[in-house]
Amino acid sequence: MPDLLLELLSEEIPARMQRRAAEDLKKLVTDALVERGFLYEGAKAFATPRRLALHVAGLPARGEAVREERRGPRVGAPEAAVQGFLKSAGLSSLDQATTVTDPKKGEFYLAVIERPGRETLDVLAEILPGIIKSFPWPKSMRWGAASAQPGSLRWVRPLQSIVATFGPETETPDVVPFAVEGISAGTTTRGHRFLSPEPFEVRRFDDYVPALERANVILDADRRKDIILHDAKDLAFARGLDLVEDEGLLEEVAGLVERPVVLMGSFEERFLEIPAEAIRATIRANQKCFVLRKSGSEELAPAFLLVSNLVASDGGAAITAGNERVVRARLSDARFFWETDKATKLEDRLPKLDSIVFHEKLGTQGERVARIAALAKEIAPLVGADPALAERAARLAKADLVTEMVGEFPELQGLMGRKYAELQGEHPSVAAAIEEHYKPVGPSDRVPTDPVSIAVALADKLDTLAGFWSIDEKPTGSKDPYALRRAALGVIRAVIERSLRLSLASLVAPRFANAGTERTADLLAFFADRLKVYLRDQGARHDLIDAVFALPGQDDLLLVVRRVEALGAFLATDDGKNLLAGYKRAANILRIEEKKDGRAYDAAPDAALAASGEPEERALAEALTATREEASAAVAAEDFSGAMRALSRLRAPVDAFFEKVTVNADDPALRRNRLLLLNALRAATREVAEFSRIEG
């Protein structure tokens, strides 16, 4: 079957945009084809610094004919409805429609629309220009004389040529006939900008890839990454060194080169006096180079690896020398920052935080530090930390934000603070907390273990959440500019992974000056949503989390999780499943009867009346009294498994009650009491969860 080859050649595409752009191109083209009924066998997109490419395999040469019946308005309907129907169906008059009789709705018009199958080449020529013109680049530009015209083409960088061919592998493919802003699709492309700048012809994907390789372009980004990583490890090994692997940098560098060549540079040993993290940040951020370690050691080596986009005639000597000059200059700056920062204690930097606005409605960084310090001191005893150390760590935690090193490399905040704290003789827990209070910063990041670090980390995140909740700046949809979801998840992970007992409501409520109860409840609901995300990844059911959070006062996340775990285990048993079914039957009966009677059956049942009724009625009343007391005591003792065991004893009397007893008895008093018994069942289950929130 025929294949499509599409290449869009341009000036350099930013590395961070390439992979997403390739996926967008594939999705846009294949979705448009499928929408029109053109199915395909497979599709793959590619990106290099200068091109986006797409290969769609197994497309039909021609689409299938389509026959569609479209129902119109009733016979005698208003003229506007009739004209709308004719227009949508592509008919010129009602003579082209038929009339069909419906036994219930009478006569109505019916259009039979038949469309012959279209040539795939024509469909491609129709859809590709629109996709190119409306391509969703994060940032785009206009260029040249046409840029003065409204609606002119926008692209990430000036678009230079388009290759678009379609046809079977056994024949010469056709060029897809279209043009965008004067750039006509054709079969001509170019290779590497410097190594193979001459144009050449391509026909189909099978000859496109090898032709690019001959022109010093490796199309597949993952293959470029493999080449860089393999060559970097080999070159390091040959010099007795180890590569410090960096997946993010590897991805970025692979997007900067079409023909990667790995070279090694060096710098003076004296620069190793700078903290290793600062060396790595300097070399990575400024030169996009990899650092190296001495073999079998964590100590950095005075060398680095760079990735060139050229096969140089001198073996890369000039390129390496140029990078070495820049690296030395940058390391000299870093060394100056390091020496300058060491001369001033962290505490002496605190007044500068008063001049930095954290948020216009939440005050300065200095004011924020004061809040975090007070909260860390309050949290410390709850997590086994020394309150004085927690307060001290929180006071110093943001001081490195005004150092020279962090000013140049913001990604080193916290880490440099720890280095400076260690140099000035701070307690080890204080120094550790300065670095670790940002953690965890993502799902793969670790949670701190030192109690002082935990206290400061929780204080930092809770202050952030309460602060933005107090000014009604909450995440909306996919927008979360202040990373509040991440902060909440950090609190959840710290609490659960370190088995911490905290009342979130008591910690955040004092931070709300007005509408405290409402905002506290709203923030707890946000935590519940984040907890669902966290526990769903652990395999827990979201409805069980809802069932537990629906109970009042559920702000101890560790107990919520334990209760959810116990509830899940209980509902996995036959007793649990049957009791849930019995509960739902009782709840349905109550809902119907309460609506019919216009009243709630929420009082306690008459024990004497139940005792005089059916044996099953008496047995259920006795079981409910005993079970509720036992379950309540177990919950109070935080023995949630015990509470579930207590509920399991209700299964038999509930089953027997529904089998033998008629709830809607003729005797009004008996009927009312039996409805109150069902309410007592509902109340008993609420000792452990709100069963109405449980699915199934």
Side-chain angles (χ1 to χ4, degrees):
M1 293 180 76
D3 292 359
L4 167 69
L5 169 63
L6 175 65
E7 182 202 68
L8 305 167
L9 184 72
S10 69
E11 297 293 333
E12 273 69 13
I13 305 168
R16 69 183 184 279
M17 298 183 188
Q18 291 171 21
R19 198 170 286 270
R20 175 62 184 270
E23 290 304 310
D24 283 343
L25 181 63
K26 181 176 78 171
K27 186 175 191 306
L28 289 168
V29 173
T30 55
D31 283 359
L33 286 167
V34 171
E35 258 179 42
R36 291 160 175 79
F38 290 82
L39 304 182
Y40 60 95
E41 292 177 359
K44 188 167 184 182
F46 305 88
T48 79
R50 297 181 64 208
R51 72 199 75 222
L52 292 181
L54 173 66
H55 175 224
V56 183
L59 277 167
R62 184 184 182 88
E64 294 183 1
V66 175
R67 185 180 188 279
E68 176 189 352
E69 291 186 352
R70 183 171 299 176
R71 181 168 173 165
R74 299 187 321 276
V75 173
E79 182 64 20
V82 172
Q83 291 302 319
F85 163 64
L86 293 175
K87 183 177 180 180
S88 67
L91 305 181
S92 56
S93 71
L94 286 175
D95 294 338
Q96 295 174 295
T98 59
T99 304
V100 179
T101 301
D102 186 311
K104 294 183 179 179
K105 299 183 179 179
E107 289 188 316
F108 60 88
Y109 296 112
L110 184 74
V112 178
I113 305 169
E114 294 185 352
R115 297 190 184 97
R118 297 181 62 193
E119 295 289 339
T120 306
L121 194 68
D122 295 338
V123 173
L124 289 169
E126 176 186 287
I127 66 176
L128 292 179
I131 289 171
I132 294 170
K133 289 177 182 177
S134 61
F135 198 81
W137 292 106
K139 291 185 178 179
S140 56
M141 61 181 290
R142 296 191 180 101
W143 63 93
S147 64
Q149 303 301 318
S152 61
L153 175 65
R154 299 185 67 93
W155 200 248
V156 63
R157 296 291 185 270
L159 188 63
Q160 296 177 333
S161 67
I162 301 171
V163 171
T165 67
F166 176 75
E169 61 182 16
T170 55
E171 302 173 14
T172 300
D174 295 311
V175 172
V176 182
F178 73 92
V180 176
E181 298 284 328
I183 303 172
S184 296
T187 58
T188 302
T189 188
R190 294 176 182 270
H192 193 285
R193 181 187 290 278
F194 305 111
L195 300 176
S196 305
E198 296 303 315
F200 58 91
E201 298 291 311
V202 293
R203 291 293 177 182
R204 57 178 56 84
F205 185 74
D206 286 346
D207 64 45
Y208 171 68
V209 175
L212 282 180
E213 298 230 0
R214 290 192 296 273
N216 290 288
V217 175
I218 296 170
L219 182 63
D220 190 337
D222 289 330
R223 185 162 167 244
R224 295 197 300 274
K225 287 173 65 176
D226 288 342
I227 290 170
I228 294 168
L229 186 59
H230 182 271
D231 290 355
K233 287 182 175 180
D234 284 353
L235 187 53
F237 180 76
R239 304 290 179 87
L241 303 173
D242 293 331
L243 173 70
V244 178
E245 295 189 34
D246 186 329
E247 175 61 28
L249 180 59
L250 180 61
E251 175 77 16
E252 182 177 9
V253 170
L256 297 174
V257 295
E258 290 193 317
R259 171 68 169 86
V261 178
V262 181
L263 303 170
M264 182 177 289
S266 62
F267 55 86
E268 290 81 356
E269 288 264 1
R270 60 189 174 88
F271 289 122
L272 294 178
E273 298 170 3
I274 307 168
E277 297 84 1
I279 294 174
R280 183 175 178 180
T282 300
I283 293 176
R284 185 189 197 280
N286 293 302
Q287 290 304 105
K288 311 302 180 190
C289 294
F290 297 87
V291 296
L292 298 162
R293 283 195 298 258
K294 295 176 181 178
S295 185
S297 168
E298 292 300 312
E299 185 181 349
L300 289 189
F304 61 92
L305 293 177
L306 63 107
V307 181
S308 169
N309 195 31
L310 285 174
V311 179
S313 58
D314 64 355
I319 296 171
T320 302
N323 276 270
E324 286 177 338
R325 284 194 298 273
V326 177
V327 165
R328 288 190 190 103
R330 297 297 188 183
L331 288 177
S332 294
D333 290 343
R335 189 180 185 193
F336 172 77
F337 297 150
W338 171 242
E339 296 297 337
T340 302
D341 288 342
K342 287 194 299 182
T344 305
K345 287 191 171 184
L346 290 174
E347 191 163 14
D348 295 337
R349 297 181 181 276
L350 294 180
K352 287 187 177 181
L353 295 177
D354 293 326
S355 62
I356 300 174
V357 176
F358 170 63
H359 187 281
E360 60 180 353
K361 295 181 181 178
L362 296 175
T364 65
Q365 282 283 12
E367 292 170 325
R368 181 167 180 252
V369 164
R371 294 195 302 269
I372 295 172
L375 186 53
K377 185 177 181 180
E378 181 182 347
I379 293 173
L382 306 176
V383 299
D386 183 307
L389 292 179
E391 184 180 27
R392 174 71 175 171
R395 275 178 49 78
L396 301 180
K398 307 295 182 183
D400 67 348
L401 296 178
V402 291
T403 61
E404 299 287 341
M405 189 72 83
V406 173
E408 181 72 13
F409 304 109
E411 66 270 27
L412 296 181
Q413 60 187 275
L415 190 146
M416 294 311 302
R418 179 176 191 161
K419 298 286 184 185
Y420 299 137
E422 289 172 343
L423 284 175
Q424 70 184 42
E426 294 290 340
H427 190 283
S429 290
V430 171
I434 292 173
E435 178 185 3
E436 295 178 341
H437 81 280
Y438 293 106
K439 294 182 177 294
V441 293
S444 60
D445 195 20
R446 67 177 182 84
V447 173
T449 55
D450 187 298
V452 174
S453 297
I454 292 172
V456 182
L458 288 172
D460 181 48
K461 293 169 178 58
L462 289 173
D463 176 78
T464 298
L465 288 160
F468 283 104
W469 244 253
S470 70
I471 61 173
D472 204 27
E473 289 275 1
K474 298 176 286 190
T476 55
S478 61
K479 295 181 180 180
D480 186 10
Y482 305 111
L484 301 181
R485 293 187 179 98
R486 188 175 71 187
L489 188 57
V491 172
I492 289 167
R493 286 190 57 201
V495 166
I496 294 172
E497 293 179 28
R498 298 294 173 251
S499 299
L500 304 177
R501 298 293 309 280
L502 298 174
S503 168
L504 292 182
S506 64
L507 293 174
V508 300
R511 273 73 196 166
F512 299 127
N514 300 311
T517 302
E518 179 182 336
R519 292 187 187 274
T520 299
D522 191 47
L523 182 52
L524 288 178
F526 180 70
F527 271 110
D529 287 339
R530 292 299 91 201
L531 185 62
K532 286 182 201 175
V533 174
Y534 174 80
L535 291 182
R536 185 169 61 235
D537 292 340
Q538 315 296 317
R541 288 166 46 179
H542 69 88
D543 57 326
L544 303 191
I545 303 167
D546 283 339
V548 172
F549 261 110
L551 299 177
Q554 299 304 309
D555 68 336
D556 186 324
L557 297 181
L558 185 63
L559 288 190
V560 168
V561 171
R562 289 177 178 171
R563 194 182 291 228
V564 168
E565 290 171 348
L567 182 59
F570 172 58
L571 293 174
T573 66
D574 287 340
D575 283 345
K577 293 173 186 174
N578 287 342
L579 181 61
L580 178 61
Y583 165 85
K584 289 190 176 296
R585 185 174 178 183
N588 285 335
I589 293 171
L590 279 169
R591 183 174 62 254
I592 293 168
E593 299 306 314
E594 286 176 338
K595 182 178 180 181
K596 184 172 67 177
D597 297 346
R599 56 171 296 183
Y601 289 98
D602 53 4
D606 185 326
L609 190 56
S612 65
E614 302 289 343
E616 293 80 11
E617 186 175 0
R618 183 168 59 254
L620 178 58
E622 293 171 353
L624 284 170
T625 301
T627 295
R628 186 167 186 180
E629 291 176 358
E630 186 178 346
S632 178
V635 168
E638 298 175 5
D639 177 11
F640 301 115
S641 295
M644 302 303 164
R645 285 195 300 273
L647 286 186
S648 70
R649 299 188 186 102
L650 286 176
R651 174 193 171 177
V654 168
D655 288 349
F657 178 83
F658 281 122
E659 184 178 346
K660 300 290 186 180
V661 178
T662 301
V663 175
N664 284 319
D666 293 334
D667 183 340
L670 201 55
R671 171 181 175 273
R672 177 179 179 278
N673 206 52
R674 287 173 179 174
L675 289 172
L676 292 175
L677 270 178
L678 297 186
N679 178 69
L681 171 61
R682 186 165 58 181
T685 58
R686 282 187 182 137
E687 293 294 334
V688 296
E690 180 52 78
F691 271 45
S692 63
R693 302 291 185 93
I694 300 173
E695 298 175 357

